[in-house]
């Protein structure tokens, strides 16, 4: 019986140990993540953002945030651990080693007379004739009587003093950490034991692996479906106009999972009439265009109408049955657009360059989605290539408001920021006819809008000039400034129902050939990670030909820049063939309209006069005729590849872009139908 009880407590200790090994590290990680996320995200203080509700945490919202499935499961596991600890402590108190001297209240080595005296004293207290309590009777029989017999019998006392037990030396016992009912082999427990072993050791890991593999096979690391990426890759073209990016974006597989209800038809037709002017239809053939639009897959129609309802700021009039689909679309939009940018700048030609035009179009759509600004508002006006879109992201601004201030030579947000406070208040209150609280909201947002500075350079390690085939290192310092002094803050987006962080994309591109040489996503959120990355990158690049003191000084200067609101982008690429290249470095924001900056970069590539390692002499290269012949052959092959690439890109001209997109839509529709 004692062995069975030992096995029972061993099983409890085994389960407690396994739970502690998994639960304690996981809880520590969760707490660390919670404390790092608990830093206060600074957001816009305008009345529209405050009234949107996404920054206001009521008590019910705080409870709902805390009582997630993961947190509830974690709390239940800790409760189970506490119950196990209490159970083990109770069993440990019940299963105590037999100590006759302690039971009789004597010191070890007490004489026989002292033992008898203690026995008589305890008998008066616990003997059944003196104490009718059943617990007293049990304690007297099982402990006091046995202790007295063990100490009065010479052999038992000698065994206890030598071996610690009245019966002499005890054998070594081995327990099994399994439940008690599995160890009482009465004919039926063997099956339970076998099922437990198979279930815990085989089926449970197998089920977990199947679930993980089934999910990972459908989604990427950014939680975007593989089918979406293949569709985007198939539809992405170098001449994809910004107005046609929407046609590619809505074809994500995630949107195809939206439910189709019969009740949605009438609601979508009403929504179509409200946003018809934003659908980029040919007014001369409006009937055929409408017919063609409604012949698309129903999910494509719903997704595009919901997007345009958001851009046209008609989401408040949506029927409650469409609200869930509307929020799902907005929740998926940021990561889908990010993957679409990555596909646009993905290396496509033999030189490993991506496409500039579709990448810019995707980021412009991302800006409009964040700020809920129609794409038609980006049409250029006099003095501003962004149109009135950047003004519409300001609170309380409408097209009428913009028309009032444009004649006053304020054609961009930057010009509005450049005015002194008195002139700006006068312009907003008297010319734009905004109230004082509304003008104060505009000031809040103007303080939040980032001002980007770009400092970019290219060089080769250990060499003064850049020759064809060299490994070129690109240094780009991106500096962010705001009028309120903040570096990281959430974007002003009152009509976007989720928190939106700013992200910037650095693109080094050749606008004449529509090629992106370098692309890098930049974030100002995690300052600690930026400091570590900048310090490590500077130490690696300065390690050649510099002393340790100079490296430390350069690293400290880099850390100081990062603390001041700068981020370092360091990457490498292979220099192309000889010639002069007029490149443009773009720093594009995915959240704000009108904050994008460009910087010209002239890159002169010299003819190859070095071969092999960088330390070889020029005379050694001149003496090697075979190397020169190989270089000439490579140049001829590159020229042929470039000519073939130019012929390929010419197939997607602007005039034929619409027909190509229509053919692609028909192919995709046929493929979806199959």
């Amino acid at each position: 019986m004692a062995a069975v009880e030992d096995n029972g407590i061993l099983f409890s200790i085994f389960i407690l140990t396994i739970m502690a090994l998994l639960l304690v590290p996981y809880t520590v990680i969760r707490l660390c993540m919670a404390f790092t996320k608990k830093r206060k995200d600074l957001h816009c203080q305008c009345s529209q953002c405050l009234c949107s509700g996404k920054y206001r945490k009521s008590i019910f919202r705080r409870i709902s945030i805390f009582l997630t499935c993961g947190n509830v499961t974690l709390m239940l596991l800790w409760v189970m651990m506490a119950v196990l600890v209490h159970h083990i402590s109770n069993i440990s108190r019940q299963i105590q080693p037999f100590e006759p001297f302690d039971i009789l209240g004597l010191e070890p080595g007490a004489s026989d007379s002292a033992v008898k005296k203690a026995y008589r004293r305890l008998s008066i207290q616990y003997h059944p004739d003196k104490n009718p309590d059943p617990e007293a009777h049990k304690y007297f029989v099982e402990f006091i009587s046995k202790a007295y017999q063990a100490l009065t019998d010479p052999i038992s006392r000698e065994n206890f003093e030598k071996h610690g037990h009245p019966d002499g030396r005890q054998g070594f016992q081995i327990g099994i950490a399994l439940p008690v009912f599995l160890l009482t082999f009465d004919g039926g427990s063997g099956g339970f034991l076998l099922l437990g072993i198979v279930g815990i050791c085989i089926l449970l890991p197998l089920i977990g692996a199947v679930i993980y593999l089934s999910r990972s096979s459908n989604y990427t690391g950014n939680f975007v479906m593989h089918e979406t990426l293949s569709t985007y890759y198939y539809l992405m073209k170098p001449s994809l106009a910004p107005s046609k990016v929407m046609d590619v974006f809505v074809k994500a597989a995630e949107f195809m999972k939206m439910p189709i209800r019969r009740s949605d038809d009438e609601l979508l037709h009403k929504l179509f009439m409200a946003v018809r002017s934003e659908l980029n239809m040919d007014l001369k053939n409006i009937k055929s265009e409408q017919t063609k639009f409604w012949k698309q897959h129903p999910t494509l129609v719903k997704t595009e109408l919901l997007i345009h309802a958001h851009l046209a700021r008609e989401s408040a009039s949506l029927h409650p049955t469409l609200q869930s689909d509307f929020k799902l679309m907005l929740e998926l939009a940021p990561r889908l657009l990010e993957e679409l940018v990555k596909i646009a700048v993905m290396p496509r030609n033999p030189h490993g360059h991506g496409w500039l035009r579709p990448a810019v179009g995707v980021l412009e759509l991302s800006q409009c989605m964040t700020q809920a600004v129609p794409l038609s508002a980006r049409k250029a006006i006099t003095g501003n290539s962004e149109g009135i879109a950047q003004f519409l992201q300001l609170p309380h601004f409408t097209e009428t408001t913009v028309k009032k201030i444009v004649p006053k030579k304020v054609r961009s947000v930057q010009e509005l920021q450049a005015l002194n406070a008195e002139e700006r208040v006068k312009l907003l209150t008297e010319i734009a006819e905004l109230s004082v609280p509304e003008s104060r909201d505009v000031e809040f947002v103007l303080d939040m809008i980032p001002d980007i500075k770009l400092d970019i350079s290219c060089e080769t390690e250990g060499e003064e000039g850049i020759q064809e085939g060299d490994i070129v290192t690109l240094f780009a310092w991106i500096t962010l400034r705001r009028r309120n002094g903040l570096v990281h803050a959430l974007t002003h987006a009152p009509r976007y129902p989720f928190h939106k962080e700013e992200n910037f994309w650095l693109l080094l591109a050749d606008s004449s050939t529509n090629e992106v040489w370098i692309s890098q996503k930049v974030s100002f959120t995690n300052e600690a990670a930026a400091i570590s990355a900048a310090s490590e990158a500077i130490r690696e690049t300065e390690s050649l030909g510099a002393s340790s003191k100079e490296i430390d000084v350069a690293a400290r200067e880099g850390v100081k820049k990062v603390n001041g609101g700068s981020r370092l982008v360091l990457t490498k690429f292979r220099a192309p063939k000889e010639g002069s290249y007029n490149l443009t470095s773009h720093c594009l924001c995915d959240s704000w309209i009108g904050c994008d900056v460009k910087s010209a970069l002239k890159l002169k590539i010299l003819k190859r006069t070095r071969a092999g390692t960088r330390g070889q002499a020029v005379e050694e290269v001149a003496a090697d005729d075979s190397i020169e012949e190989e270089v000439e052959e490579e140049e001829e092959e590159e020229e042929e590849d470039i000519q073939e690439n130019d012929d390929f890109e010419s197939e997607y001209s602007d005039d034929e872009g619409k027909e190509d997109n229509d053919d692609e839509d028909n192919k995709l529709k046929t493929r979806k139908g199959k």
Side-chain angles (χ1 to χ4, degrees), residues 274-292:
V275 301
R276 182 173 56 178
S277 59
E278 299 293 334
L279 293 176
N280 197 23
M281 292 184 176
D282 186 6
L283 297 178
K284 296 180 180 179
N285 302 315
I286 187 65
K287 291 185 178 180
S288 60
E289 291 283 338
Q290 291 182 10
T291 304
K292 183 179 178 181

Side-chain angles (χ1 to χ4, degrees), residues 452-456 476-478 506 585-587 597-599:
I452 302 297
K453 302 296 182 184
L454 188 60
D455 183 14
I456 190 169
W477 280 101
I478 303 175
L506 177 66
S585 55
H586 301 257
C587 187
V597 295
K598 299 179 182 179
S599 177

Side-chain angles (χ1 to χ4, degrees), residues 461 536-548 550-551 554 572:
E461 297 179 359
E536 183 179 355
I538 291 173
R539 291 182 183 278
E540 289 181 358
T541 54
E542 297 288 340
S543 59
L544 297 177
S547 63
S548 59
E550 293 174 344
I551 294 174
K572 298 181 180 182

Side-chain angles (χ1 to χ4, degrees), residues 450-486:
D451 181 22
I452 302 297
K453 302 296 182 184
L454 188 60
D455 183 14
I456 190 169
S457 61
C458 294
E459 61 182 33
T460 54
E461 297 179 359
E463 303 291 345
E464 294 185 358
I466 301 177
Q467 298 185 5
E468 51 189 5
D470 282 352
I471 301 300
V472 183
T473 303
L474 172 74
F475 294 88
W477 280 101
I478 303 175
T479 305
L480 184 146
R481 295 285 186 271
R482 303 182 205 269
R483 287 172 46 182
N484 56 13
L486 297 176

Side-chain angles (χ1 to χ4, degrees), residues 222 329-339 366 496 500:
N222 199 20
M329 179 271 298
L330 291 179
E331 186 178 5
L332 295 173
R335 57 175 179 263
L336 292 178
L337 289 170
E338 181 180 341
E339 293 298 325
S366 177
Y496 190 79
K500 182 67 176 70

Side-chain angles (χ1 to χ4, degrees), residues 348 379 454 499 603 606:
R348 299 295 186 114
K379 293 181 180 179
L454 188 60
H499 290 194
L603 193 63
L606 305 177

Side-chain angles (χ1 to χ4, degrees), residues 40-59:
K40 188 175 181 180
D41 288 324
L42 300 175
H43 56 81
C44 180
Q45 299 296 323
C46 72
S47 60
Q48 289 186 349
C49 287
L50 295 178
C51 293
S52 64
K54 60 181 177 180
Y55 301 120
R56 184 173 60 251
K57 294 183 179 179
S58 62
I59 185 171

